Every structure is written in structure tokens, then in C-alpha cells.
Amino acid sequence: MTDTKAKQKIIIVGGGIGGLAAALALTRQGIQVLLLEQAEHIGEIGAGIQLGPNAFNALDALGAGEATRNRAVFTDHLIMMDAVDGNEVVRIETDEKFRERFGGPYGVIHRADIHLSILEAVQHDPLIEFKTSTHVADVKLKSDGVEVSDTNGNVYHADAVVGCDGVKSVIREKTIGRHHRVTGHVVYRAVVDLENMPEDLRVNAPMLWAGPRCHLVHYPLRGGQQYNLVVTFHSRDEEEWGVTDGSKEEVMSYFEGVHPRPLQMLDRPTSWRRWATADADPGLDDKEPQTDGHQNARADERQAHDRVMKSRHDRHRTGQQRRDRHERRVAAKNHRDQRIGEHQHPQRGQNLFQVVAVIQAADDQPLDNQTI
Ligand SMILES: Cc1cc2nc3c(=O)[nH]c(=O)nc-3n(C[C@H](O)[C@H](O)[C@H](O)COP(=O)(O)OP(=O)(O)OC[C@H]3O[C@@H](n4cnc5c(N)ncnc54)[C@H](O)[C@@H]3O)c2cc1C
């Protein structure tokens, strides 16, 4: 850890999986973190999440690997099925050979469990201060850092801010002006208890049933006591981003013509949550952001530009003055030599040598790159 890093402080907005992981990654560099989360209690909603070998490597690096492993289910295979004829399309073994090749296991976990595993590491990290019930409303970019304010009227200062505030990110909107875009994919998610799971689908694998403009995935959670069910389809309606209660009738209407084996899964959940999904282009927006912070940043840019131009002008002027002085000195010497030559011929060689020495002395002075 260097002194400079120890003095750096970064604000992270959002205490989801992304925000917590970012906080741990920063403190591993010796950077202090202030985490601001709008929710009163930290927790995760949703169902399961799949973790490839690289995810476990990343979690190990953050100090959350062991806790996550203890809560994950390690699968035997990855299976893809044809949802219309019910046949297997491909099966990948995730055994020891797979683990050796990819440097880690393939796992599945409840979202609440992976979130908790990372949260535990955050809570033990003395470099992280975690504030809940804090809804961030604005961010201003300053010449010496950032100023973040919340809806309670509090203002926080830091060297930088990281926006991990999800799809409707305030930080993204205030800094680069880009909004989320709705994809048109709708995802239904549910958790099914083991006793409700069809016997022939109690498989220790993420099993994906691919159909026309729809697919369905299920895999075990929490030691196989529960199963995660995810159903995705391309919506025929104009969607708005959001999470609502879903209806079995809507799901069934998108799965007409699907094989009875995957179809039986749609009967099992007792309640569904419906996500109209969205994403965001990570690139910068074309339009200029209109925040005060941006104006400050632009003012800083202008001042920096003016400083560069003035410095160039000064250096140009200094260089020109130096060349003028040099020419005057050479002219004076020449004039004197001429006079000496006219009157004292024996010393002429010595005087010529002195003139060359003067010119060399002038040439030894550094010339301004900008003016040659
Ligand atoms: C059920 C489900 C299953 C999924 N399965 C997978 C999977 O298998 N594999 C995969 O890679 N991805 C999966 N995803 C997607 C993945 O989980 C998400 O992309 C990821 O969790 C996003 O994390 P995040 O921290 O960036 O955002 P979020 O989880 O949205 O967290 C944002 C946080 O910021 C807070 N916040 C928002 N605005 C403010 C504000 N103004 N001030 C303060 N706090 C604020 C919110 O309260 C929230 O806590 C799944 C998603 C869901 C819902």
C-alpha cells in the first residue's frame, strides 16, 4: 500500500452485488470506501444465479470465495435441451477435468446467498464505511474530486465516485446522461421447493430448454432443497423496465407448442415475479451532459487549456528574446573583431576563437521545442 492510495477515498453508490464487490476490490488497493445504499436493510431479491469458474476466482480475490463455496451447489453437468421435441442438444460435464481445465468449479447459488457472502467480507473490512437509508440524488464533478448529495440533504466528498446503482442509475444519468433501454425480454423467476419439483427434472445441473422466442432454465439451490426456475420470452407488448407480480396465464401463452416435460414446470411455482429487463450501452452519450459538475469540469478544462496556451506563448517569447540577445552579442563581437582586425592583426585568430566560443555558449542553451 502506498501513501497516496491510503489517502484516496472513493464513494460507491449502490450496495448490490456490483457495489459490494467493487468496494472490496478497492480496499485491496488500500483505498478507503464510503458505500451508500438507499435500502434500509441490505438484502437481495430474486432467485438463483449461475457462477462459472472465473466467478469463484474473482470471489477468492475479494475474500468472499470460501463463504460462497459453502453456500453454493456444485453441478455435475450443464445441459441444453430442445424445448419442442424434448431431446437433449448438448451436455457438458463439469467434473474434475472441467475444474482443472477452467481453474475452478461450476456452481449455482441463491442470489441472497452470494450477496450475503460478499456482504460479510464488506462488514469485516475496516476501510469500508457502509451507510444505508441513503438515496443519492446528485453528483457534481469538481476539480479536486466529487461531491455526492443525498435526499436527506447530506453532502459527501471523495476523490471519485463509482455508480453501482443498477438499471436506473442516478450516477450514470448525472455524469454521462445515458438512460437504460428496455430490451423487450421478459423474465419470470420463481423458487420451487424440492417436494414440488417433478421427479424426472431433479437434475444436478443447470438445464436449459430452448424454444421459439422463449426458453426455460432450472437448477438446484441450497443443497438441492429448492430449485430455481427462470422463464424468458420475447414480449409481444411494449414493455417498461420494472419488477411486478407475474401471472401463470401470461407465461403459458408464450409456451404453446412446448414439450410436456418442460411444460410441467410452469405449473409448479406458487408465486411468480416478472422482470421486464433492460440494459445500457456502456459507451458515452453523444449529447453533452448538462450537470453543474460537468460545467465545472468544462471550466477546469478551459483553465487548463488557457494555462497551456500561456505557457507556450511565454516560452515562445523567452526563446525569441534569447535568440535576439544571441544575435546582438554576435554582432557586437563581429564589430569589435572587425575593429581589432583593422588595428591589431596579430591577435585576430584569438578573437575569432572567442566569437566561436560565444556562439557555442549561446547554442548550448536549450532551445524551445515549440518555437523551432
Ligand atoms: C433473479 C435474477 C437472476 C439473475 N441471474 C443471473 C445469472 O445467472 N448470471 C448473471 O451473470 N446475472 C444474473 N442476473 C443479473 C445480475 O444478478 C445483475 O446484473 C446484478 O445483480 C446487478 O448487480 P448490481 O449491483 O450492478 O445492481 P443491483 O443489484 O440492481 O443493485 C443496485 C443497488 O443500488 C441501490 N441503488 C439504486 N439507486 C440508488 C440511489 N440513487 N442511491 C443509493 N442506492 C441506490 C439499489 O437499492 C440496489 O441495492 C440475474 C438477475 C436477477 C434479478
Side-chain angles (χ1 to χ4, degrees):
M1 181 195 315
T2 66
D3 279 345
T4 324
K5 280 181 178 168
K7 284 181 209 137
Q8 282 181 349
K9 181 176 174 183
I10 292 187
I11 293 174
I12 294 180
V13 182
I17 294 170
L20 299 185
L24 290 172
L26 288 172
T27 61
R28 263 138 193 81
Q29 301 297 315
I31 296 169
Q32 241 188 308
V33 171
L34 172 61
L35 239 168
L36 304 175
E37 164 59 46
Q38 65 185 4
E40 191 182 345
H41 301 291
I42 301 301
E44 256 298 343
I45 55 162
I49 188 161
Q50 303 190 42
L51 302 171
N54 58 340
F56 285 101
N57 293 337
L59 288 160
D60 282 339
L62 298 177
E66 199 186 331
T68 307
R69 278 183 174 78
N70 290 339
R71 293 178 172 120
V73 172
F74 297 107
T75 61
D76 297 329
H77 335 268
L78 294 165
I79 304 171
M80 185 178 177
M81 306 288 288
D82 185 319
V84 177
D85 64 18
N87 289 326
E88 187 172 302
V89 178
V90 66
R91 175 182 295 243
I92 298 168
E93 302 303 326
T94 51
D95 52 11
E96 206 43 54
K97 227 167 107 188
F98 173 97
R99 293 177 187 195
E100 262 171 43
R101 179 166 177 197
F102 295 106
Y106 199 92
V108 284
I109 192 167
H110 197 289
R111 283 169 61 84
D113 293 344
I114 184 174
H115 189 263
L116 177 64
S117 303
I118 307 174
L119 179 63
E120 286 168 350
V122 164
Q123 284 166 338
H124 288 107
D125 194 323
L127 282 177
I128 301 175
E129 185 190 347
F130 202 159
K131 270 179 79 81
T132 53
S133 305
T134 304
H135 178 83
V136 168
D138 199 8
V139 57
K140 287 188 170 63
L141 307 180
K142 302 280 187 184
S143 56
D144 59 346
V146 292
E147 187 183 279
V148 171
S149 45
D150 67 20
T151 46
N152 300 324
N154 299 310
V155 178
Y156 312 90
H157 295 95
D159 296 296
V161 64
V162 181
C164 298
D165 45 347
V167 170
K168 285 191 167 173
S169 168
V170 168
I171 301 300
R172 188 193 317 115
E173 191 196 321
K174 298 283 183 187
T175 52
I176 59 172
R178 187 165 279 282
H179 298 280
H180 67 279
R181 79 189 152 201
V182 177
T183 64
H185 291 100
V186 169
V187 182
Y188 268 71
R189 294 176 170 109
V191 175
V192 178
D193 288 336
L194 176 62
E195 55 272 20
N196 275 338
M197 190 69 186
E199 296 240 351
D200 63 326
L201 295 180
R202 294 180 189 181
V203 182
N204 187 25
M207 205 162 169
L208 184 149
W209 299 83
R213 297 175 68 78
C214 66
H215 71 264
L216 185 155
V217 184
H218 51 82
Y219 50 80
L221 296 173
R222 295 182 163 157
Q225 292 309 300
Q226 293 180 322
Y227 276 78
N228 179 51
L229 174 60
V230 183
V231 172
T232 305
F233 53 80
H234 295 225
S235 177
R236 38 179 110 85
D237 299 319
E238 187 82 14
E239 294 290 337
E240 254 181 53
W241 179 79
V243 187
T244 53
D245 285 335
S247 84
K248 183 182 155 193
E249 289 67 37
E250 186 191 21
V251 178
M252 294 304 264
S253 74
Y254 283 93
F255 280 75
E256 278 170 16
V258 163
H259 193 272
R261 202 171 162 217
L263 207 59
Q264 63 181 322
M265 277 305 298
L266 303 181
D267 255 340
R268 304 301 163 123
T270 46
S271 71
W272 288 99
R273 295 288 280 164
R274 180 191 196 276
W275 275 262
T277 61
D279 61 17
D281 191 328
L284 289 178
D285 211 347
D286 293 332
K287 74 178 170 62
E288 295 237 324
Q290 292 304 311
T291 63
D292 291 350
H294 178 71
Q295 282 158 11
N296 286 336
R298 290 303 300 266
D300 292 344
E301 265 172 39
R302 264 198 307 276
Q303 280 173 14
H305 177 259
D306 290 349
R307 276 198 300 275
V308 169
M309 294 310 285
K310 182 173 182 309
S311 145
R312 277 187 187 172
H313 174 75
D314 290 350
R315 278 186 291 167
H316 177 79
R317 205 182 50 198
T318 319
Q320 190 59 48
Q321 283 170 344
R322 209 165 47 226
R323 277 191 298 279
D324 290 349
R325 266 201 315 273
H326 165 66
E327 278 170 19
R328 277 199 302 274
R329 270 201 304 264
V330 171
K333 269 280 176 201
N334 284 344
H335 180 66
R336 209 171 61 220
D337 286 349
Q338 197 181 357
R339 292 188 58 200
I340 291 169
E342 282 168 7
H343 302 287
Q344 300 174 7
H345 285 283
Q347 293 176 351
R348 192 171 183 174
Q350 184 192 348
N351 291 325
L352 275 177
F353 174 79
Q354 284 171 344
V355 172
V356 171
V358 170
I359 292 170
Q360 275 180 341
D363 283 347
D364 286 345
Q365 291 182 24
L367 284 177
D368 185 349
N369 287 337
Q370 305 293 327
T371 55
I372 53 176

